[in-house]
Amino acid sequence: MSQIQPGIYRHFKGNLYRVLCTARHSETAEEMVVYQTLYGEGGIWVRPAAMWNETINRDGYCGPRFRWVEP
C-alpha cells in the first residue's frame, strides 16, 4: 500500500478531511482511502488512493489534491 497515513489532510479547495485508514477493494484489489469529512455531517467516504495522491493543475493551482496537515 502507499504511504497515505491516518491524520488530517487539506483538500486543494480548502476543506479538511481525516484519513481513517487505507483498504483494498474486494474485487479489484485497488487501494482505497477511507476518510471522514471534517465539515457538515462528517460523512465517511472512500476514494481510490491513486486519485487521493494525484497532482491537480487547475485554476492557477498546481499541487497535490490532498496535503497532509497533522496526525
Side-chain angles (χ1 to χ4, degrees):
M1 292 207 177
S2 73
Q3 297 301 315
I4 300 169
Q5 299 296 316
I8 308 296
Y9 290 76
R10 184 177 305 279
H11 188 267
F12 78 99
K13 292 182 180 177
N15 286 327
L16 293 174
Y17 299 84
R18 179 184 313 278
V19 168
L20 303 173
C21 64
T22 57
R24 292 264 180 207
H25 188 287
S26 63
E27 298 294 324
T28 66
E30 180 181 13
E31 184 181 9
M32 308 295 280
V33 178
V34 182
Y35 65 98
Q36 180 177 22
T37 60
L38 296 180
Y39 59 89
E41 295 180 17
I44 305 291
W45 299 84
V46 296
R47 178 185 295 258
M51 183 183 281
W52 185 274
N53 283 330
E54 73 185 345
T55 297
I56 302 297
N57 191 349
R58 186 182 329 165
D59 301 325
Y61 173 78
C62 184
R65 179 182 294 275
F66 290 93
R67 185 180 309 269
W68 188 86
V69 176
E70 62 185 63

